[in-house]
């Protein structure tokens, strides 16, 4: 069935190090992927997105990599800061449903940044 | 430009009562999405609405739940005869066009507790 999953429930990194958060998806028909950051008691905040016709996209301190062959998505955060501590969700949107807002979210990875 | 506004932030209802959750989209946004998040889980799609129309309600329970987005005023998610299992955080998001074509922004959520 359809599922989006994250490999590790919690990731602990040292401040200043790079972080890599992984996500596996099972629906090969998905054509749009988004990473969200959610801080405690708040709504999800858009970080970066990528379409299936790309394999890499960079933002400010963040990079998303998409490997369609193994259906794997990753979020790289450079020089991780304490403010990056949050739960990170990947979400996928199936081809043909890109206009419905019907995203499928993973369970989330908690990123803990140690000072 | 205010973000997506949801109210109330916290709502406590006794079993059997009705819960009404309101969402005011960002200015200029005519697409609204409702998601539900159980503790320690990702968000689950419920419904997608445009002004006066329900576009996709495939994620909404068939009974007790309804949603509307009138021509004037906020979008309302209504839960009748609430049960303990309805306790969750309900998030609303809005966008200018369909998701996947433009970024959607989430509100801070309404945390419903059924006692």
């Amino acid at each position: 069935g359809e599922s989006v999953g994250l490999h590790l429930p919690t990731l602990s990194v040292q401040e200043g190090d790079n972080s890599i958060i992984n996500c596996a998806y099972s629906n090969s028909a998905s054509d749009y992927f988004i990473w969200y950051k959610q801080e405690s008691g708040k709504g999800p905040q858009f970080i970066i997105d990528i379409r299936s016709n790309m394999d890499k996209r960079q933002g400010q301190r963040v990079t998303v990599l998409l490997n369609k062959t193994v259906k794997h998505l990753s979020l790289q955060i450079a020089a991780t800061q304490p403010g990056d501590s949050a739960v990170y969700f990947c979400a996928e949107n199936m081809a043909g449903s890109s206009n419905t807002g019907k995203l499928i979210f993973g369970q989330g990875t908690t990123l803990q940044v140690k000072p | 430009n205010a973000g997506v506004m949801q109210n109330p932030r916290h709502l406590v209802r006794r079993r059997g009562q009705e819960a009404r959750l309101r969402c005011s989209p960002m200015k200029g946004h005519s697409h609204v999405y409702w998601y539900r998040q159980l503790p320690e889980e990702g968000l689950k799609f419920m419904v997608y609405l445009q002004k006066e129309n329900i576009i996709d309600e495939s994620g909404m329970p068939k009974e007790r739940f309804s949603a509307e987005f009138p021509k004037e005023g906020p979008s309302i998610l209504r839960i009748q005869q609430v049960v303990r299992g309805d306790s969750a955080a309900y998030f609303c998001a809005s966008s200018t066009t369909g998701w996947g074509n433009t970024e959607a922004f989430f509100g801070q959520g309404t945390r419903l507790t059924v006692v």
Side-chain angles (χ1 to χ4, degrees), chain A residues 27-96:
Chain A
N27 195 329
S28 57
S30 293
D31 63 353
Y32 180 56
F33 305 87
I34 311 172
W35 279 101
Y36 286 96
K37 171 187 180 184
Q38 187 175 27
E39 296 173 282
S40 182
K42 295 186 178 180
Q45 177 187 354
F46 174 94
I47 301 173
I48 192 167
D49 60 359
I50 188 168
R51 296 193 179 279
S52 58
N53 61 353
M54 303 172 69
D55 53 21
K56 180 180 179 179
R57 191 156 188 236
Q58 286 184 293
Q60 193 172 23
R61 277 202 310 121
V62 294
T63 301
V64 56
L65 299 176
L66 175 62
N67 185 330
K68 293 182 288 294
T69 303
V70 295
K71 287 181 269 186
H72 184 266
L73 192 70
S74 69
L75 176 70
Q76 299 177 2
I77 304 173
T80 312
Q81 302 168 2
D84 294 328
S85 294
V87 178
Y88 288 80
F89 293 97
C90 64
E92 64 178 311
N93 188 309
M94 288 193 297

Side-chain angles (χ1 to χ4, degrees), chain B residues 37-63:
Chain B
Q37 185 176 34
L38 294 172
E40 308 295 320
E41 292 191 10
L43 283 75
K44 297 284 194 296
F45 170 82
M46 297 182 75
V47 61
Y48 163 42
L49 311 103
Q50 292 181 27
K51 283 284 186 181
E52 299 185 278
N53 286 305
I54 297 175
I55 307 302
D56 183 343
E57 56 181 347
S58 58
M60 201 132 81
K62 294 285 186 281
E63 297 181 356

Side-chain angles (χ1 to χ4, degrees), chain B residues 6-24:
Chain B
Q6 289 188 250
N7 66 83
R9 290 294 308 278
H10 300 274
L11 182 61
V12 179
R13 284 286 178 266
R14 296 186 190 280
R15 281 178 295 170
Q17 290 185 320
E18 177 181 289
R20 289 172 71 88
L21 288 62
R22 287 177 289 276
C23 169
S24 295

